[in-house]
Amino acid sequence: MNLQFVFMQLFNGLILGSLYVLLALGLSIIFGMLGIINFAHGAFFMLGAYAAYTITSYIIPDYWLALISVPILMAAFGSLCEIVLFRRLYDLPPLYIMLLTFGLMLVLQDAARLVFGSMGVPFGTPKSLTGMVNLGFMYYPSYRLFLIAVTSCAAFAVWLFLSKTKLGCIIRAGTDNPKMLEALGINISRTMTLVVGLGTGLAGLAGVLAAPIQNVRPLMGMDLLVDCFVVVVIGGMGSLGGSVVGGLIVGQIIAIGVMVWPPMANTLIYLFMAAFLLVRPRGLFGRESFHE
Amino acid sequence: MPRSQFLTLVTFFGLALVFPLVAPYEALATEILIFALLAMSYDLVLGYGGMLSFGHAAFFGIGAYTTGILLIRVFPSVPVALTGAICVSGLAAAFVGYASIRRHGIYFTMVTLAFAQMFYFIAFKWTGLTGGDDGLQGVPRPNIGPIDIHPEINLYYFILALVIVSMFIIVRVVNSPLGATLQALRENRNRAMSVGYNVDRFKLVAFVISGCFAGLAGGLYALLLNMVPLGSLHWTTSGEVVVMNITGGMATLFGPVVGAVSIILLRDIISNYTDAWSLFMGLIFMMAVFGFRDGIVGFFQNKIMPTAAKFLGQVFPKKH
Amino acid sequence: MERKWHAILTACLLSIAFFSLVNTPVVAEPLKISVLTDMSGPYAGITGANVEAAKMAIADFGGKILGNPIEFVYRDHMCKPDVANQKAKELYEKEQVDVIFDCPNSAAGLAVANQAKIHKKPFIAIGSGTTRLSGPDCNRYTFKWAYNDYMLATAVGLWAADNLGKKWYTITADYAWGHDLLHHFSEALKAKGGTLLGNEMVALGTSDFSPYILKAMNAKPEVLVLLNAGKDAVNSTKQAMEFGLKKKVKIVHALLFIEDIKASGDIFAGDYVTGAWYWKSDNPGSKEFVEKWKKQFNKPPNWMNAATYSAVTQYLKAVERAKSKDALPVIKALEGHEFRDLLANPGKIRAEDHMEVGNAYILRAKNPGEIKEDWDFFDIVGVIPPDKAYQNPKDTGCKMDTAE
């Protein structure tokens, strides 16, 4: 095993981690606000990839347009789901919204299969990003570097939005204690719409970014979803910093696992999670009595 | 045992006796029975214990594998194999429960999921013992004393007997002091703690009992299929059990049974007509959330029954 | 008291709901054929149309046999072995079918083979590729048609060692199927004096193959073998292309269909794979079948569809030869039978292990510029005869019960 391979592998862990970060951020803010595990999150990711495919092959063959428009479209779709579906169930235990998202997941996945077929659809690397870049110590595919850059920007933008704007402040407060927010006279339902929209938009962005390096298929989100649960738990439920750190950690665990003990690479994260929770019951940045 | 529950149990028994005659096919009736037991066992955890476990498939699968391995390799006796399944699943539940019950809310859910995933990967990798991805093939159905359980209908009634006994025990558990304590814990954990209950121990007991019955259901599943599919350990099986409970109605004991019956029956029937069965199942789950928020049983009890009772009351006025 | 009435009323209403959902039983008919396949799961895009292939075979046969009509039913097993098992019981017991065809997914195939043995009715496995079906788990009622994992790995292995290079690297899906393929692949390689530079076992559910691709690149092989299928095949090839490996080595796949290529653009261009048939082949009856299929579905059939057509046709011919639809006479008419049809030219149903063997075709995926006609994605670059493509029946480990 040479040093270059180790470096490349750490970068690959970063790629995987980036996708986890985007998905986990969305999963985590939705969890914080609504107190539910959103099973449809993987399906939103899948839908993002299919939306990118539809735009690039039927409307305008431009990856950049898809990169910008798909997250916006998905955010709108998420908000719509919140207004039409989730909102009617807030007076019930969160379990019911969870069942709803489970049903939504099945519906979206099967709808994608019926429309696009179970075999998946072709999606190539955008022309301007093919090839390798010389980083001095190794060559690395330029699209992957681009993916890391976009994810970092997106995560930074989300952080700016949540920490510097008033709206972000409200969301953070709502994640902490939705009841208190309502008591203060803030329109909580509009905030909820925004949060679900933001989470879904991030899942859509992850979908567009993953499409050129993964197989665009109806079930592509399902495998990632369970991994993302692990990310959110390790990071701490409802903590945004936790999602970022957790995503990067899980990405690296898998990458290192592949180097050390390939057949067990995927089992390793569950072992790690179980062990981790025994030491730190609330993950890295989870707070006490938060949705417990 | 309250009269209403006793009556429901008797009604269930009556319906179950004729069920194979009307079900699409006999083996499906048996499958439904097994999942009814599995869903009911899970009600102890979710409905009464208030614990959203996402690892119930682990105990189901472990029970199935234990039964299969005992029947193939050790001793071809159904009672021995099923007892083994109950014990091993109970032990596994004790282990998982001990490690996870101190976690609350969503963390509990995730720890149970993590353990279940580990069991899944162990079964997947340990090909020598479990057959891995090919499943554990060729599980025999030896005679039980004079009873030949090879014909599907005989197996159905044998399993029905076991399921009825199990349900009777579960109903007794729920109505015991343990059940009452569990409900008190679910409603107000802090009060129960301040009264002096050891919350975690009660929850653990419920978790283990539930795991035992899940293991029994798994063992019966291995007998039904003559094999153990690896999917019995997969997290989607856990998800299905959760869905059965919510759609049927939690903490009603027979709600989950109704949930299991309707979901399996509907899936089987829909899949004969269209390959988009999973789309329809998804739509049904979504409608279930909006349509009957308290599950199917709750829907009947709260919406249909009062209307029907009112109607009957008008037709046959009470004599004073 | 009111609660009690509620409970009873609930029970009554629910029972009415059950009764109204129930189908009425069907009386057994002269000859009933069934297809049990994946129509909604991961293989649906490949095997779903097998139902249509069987229907076409029955229609082409005339729809009648021994003076009685041929009936047809199908079931979706959703790619789940437990559902396959239950549906097989429904087909044999409730629907009273005389034979079940297809059943992709190894675990599902093995489960249905066991049900065939229990119910003493034939099962002709097509989609399920495991060598166990014609090996240790073989039984008198189960036949394996058109291909198995041994043939997939060995045929292309033998051919590639002669034509592509001697230095190899493999990336294997880490479960029973992948292990089986790897074993047969390395045997074929050893026989041809090739060397395996290294192998990577890839865990289930892996979506990032780049580390394995990197390791393979470091070893500098002449041929890279991807022993995976479906989404893993797409992901690994996509990433091999991304890292520039595809320019340096030849890539060999375990399983590729025309639908895979249609669904993934040009990533497979120039790669090699074994196929049991190709729609441009000129076997007897092949052209007519393809024409009819294209007219109906606006695309050519894949080799699973052709195999289903062949299996159903050969079964019907065997019923005619046996002059009976009973299991044992039909099985005897199938055992050892030699024939030529659209799929197998020549074909033989070996009596020793119930494996139907024919030529294996080595297919090379065309480059985008070479594709003149839509769906014409492959060139046939080699043909491996049955005696080389399939394991000697003495070595399969099958102990066939020949009792009457």
Side-chain angles (χ1 to χ4, degrees), chain B residues 25 31 133 206 218 270 314:
Chain B
Y25 50 100
E31 184 180 342
D133 188 56
I270 296 174
Q314 280 164 359

Side-chain angles (χ1 to χ4, degrees), chain B residues 269-281:
Chain B
I269 292 169
I270 296 174
S271 78
N272 283 352
Y273 292 100
T274 167
D275 61 344
W277 58 271
S278 115
L279 183 99
F280 284 101
M281 293 311 286

